[in-house]
Amino acid sequence: MGLRLNQTFYVSHGSPALAVDDSIPARKFFTSWKERFPTPPSAILVVSAHWDTHVPTVNVVDRNDTIYDFYGFPESMYKLKYPAPGAPELAKRVKELLIGSGFEHVKEDMNRGLDHGAWVPLLLMYPEADIPVCQLSLSSNKGTTYHYNMGKALAPLKDQGVLIIGSGSATHNLKAMGPRNSPPAPWAQAFMTWLKTSLLEGRYEEVNEYEEKAPYAKMVHPRSDHFLPLHVAMGAAGENAKAKVIHDSWDVGSISCASFSFTAANA
């Protein structure tokens, strides 16, 4: 068991090219992770936008394979590996906590590795790939409150030194992202202003109701998959957690790479 952790995180992983492209501003944020957050976790639990299932599912493996779930990128990216140990005991504990909190059906996947929403940021954050990693799916057929409650169920893992990361994108409309060096669109900027203000002021219920409360919500997130990991991280931090913007940049046009920490109120 590792040292008790008092923070959870939502990171915007941006383009898969983050793994190799030094010109992406968020890359330096991820490579400096251990300088900013030096406490080593006992294990890592990732909820990624790129594993979407009907019911919550955990990967139960001894060694994680690297999944190349992207197309049209430099050949070098398909040679990258992130062979982190699996975390089967953590997976069982995740399942136990979710079922104990009323999530009736939780499945186990005995074969799945890590998708790019998990391994690309981890490759930069913990390049040694020596910390056990478990991945938990999201269920975009469910709502934000469902995922917030999922996070609440997982909160005890922090006491065991488990680092809980939601990995998505604060804005994610690929059809309207714009050219690489173009400024973010006004609709994306308006949404991000609302999101940062809401989180920093602790208005988590409004964030759970973002589809009704946020400006341009459907424009920013035509699908909810890249936003739902945020709700898991919020819930896992516990009641009255304090949010902080730990990185704020843009990747391609209107794709935000903003990332947030959530610190437990009793920390």
Side-chain angles (χ1 to χ4, degrees):
M1 182 180 295
L3 295 173
R4 181 181 185 275
L5 300 180
N6 58 29
Q7 290 179 304
T8 63
F9 298 90
Y10 172 72
V11 299
S12 292
H13 59 251
S15 165
L18 176 72
V20 296
D21 189 345
D22 287 330
S23 71
I24 298 176
R27 183 178 166 87
K28 185 174 182 181
F29 160 68
F30 284 108
T31 58
S32 64
W33 182 271
K34 288 196 290 185
E35 297 171 22
R36 299 184 63 177
F37 306 104
T39 302
S42 61
I44 301 171
L45 176 65
V46 182
V47 180
S48 163
H50 296 279
W51 192 16
D52 192 352
T53 60
H54 186 68
V55 298
T57 307
V58 288
N59 76 325
V60 185
V61 297
D62 292 323
R63 178 72 58 177
N64 281 294
D65 291 330
T66 306
I67 301 174
Y68 305 102
D69 53 337
F70 45 78
Y71 306 93
F73 287 87
E75 185 63 28
S76 61
M77 289 196 57
Y78 301 92
K79 298 178 181 178
L80 294 173
K81 302 286 186 183
Y82 194 77
E89 291 184 7
L90 172 58
K92 301 288 188 183
R93 179 63 175 148
V94 168
K95 182 177 181 179
E96 178 183 86
L97 287 170
L98 290 175
I99 291 175
S101 295
F103 292 80
E104 295 182 2
H105 303 289
V106 181
K107 293 184 177 181
E108 299 178 10
D109 190 319
M110 314 299 287
N111 298 303
R112 186 182 174 89
L114 303 177
D115 61 58
H116 81 266
W119 72 259
V120 168
L122 290 178
L123 179 71
L124 305 178
M125 295 160 66
Y126 299 101
E128 298 83 4
D130 57 357
I131 299 172
V133 180
C134 174
Q135 194 166 338
L136 169 65
S137 70
L138 54 80
S139 300
S140 65
N141 59 310
K142 309 294 196 301
T144 53
T145 300
Y146 177 94
H147 290 84
Y148 183 78
N149 289 334
M150 179 187 292
K152 287 174 65 176
L154 301 173
L157 295 175
K158 302 193 306 294
D159 294 336
Q160 301 168 18
V162 176
L163 175 60
I164 300 173
I165 299 174
S167 178
S169 186
T171 64
H172 197 258
N173 186 333
L174 298 183
K175 293 183 178 179
M177 63 185 180
R180 178 65 185 270
N181 295 316
S182 63
W187 51 264
Q189 293 179 322
F191 179 89
M192 286 307 302
T193 296
W194 172 86
L195 178 61
K196 287 183 281 189
T197 300
S198 298
L199 290 175
L200 295 180
E201 293 181 357
R203 303 201 306 266
Y204 299 142
E205 190 59 40
E206 286 192 22
V207 179
N208 281 338
E209 299 173 359
Y210 83 98
E211 290 180 306
E212 293 78 32
K213 302 289 188 181
Y216 305 103
K218 269 298 182 183
M219 182 69 176
V220 173
H221 289 287
R223 298 182 69 247
S224 61
D225 51 3
H226 276 71
F227 204 50
L228 292 174
L230 168 70
H231 302 273
V232 179
M234 284 195 310
E239 296 292 331
N240 302 313
K242 183 70 172 177
K244 181 180 179 181
V245 181
I246 54 174
H247 179 73
D248 196 5
S249 69
W250 298 86
D251 183 0
V252 182
S254 297
I255 302 297
S256 171
C257 283
S259 294
F260 302 89
S261 65
F262 299 92
T263 303
N266 58 354

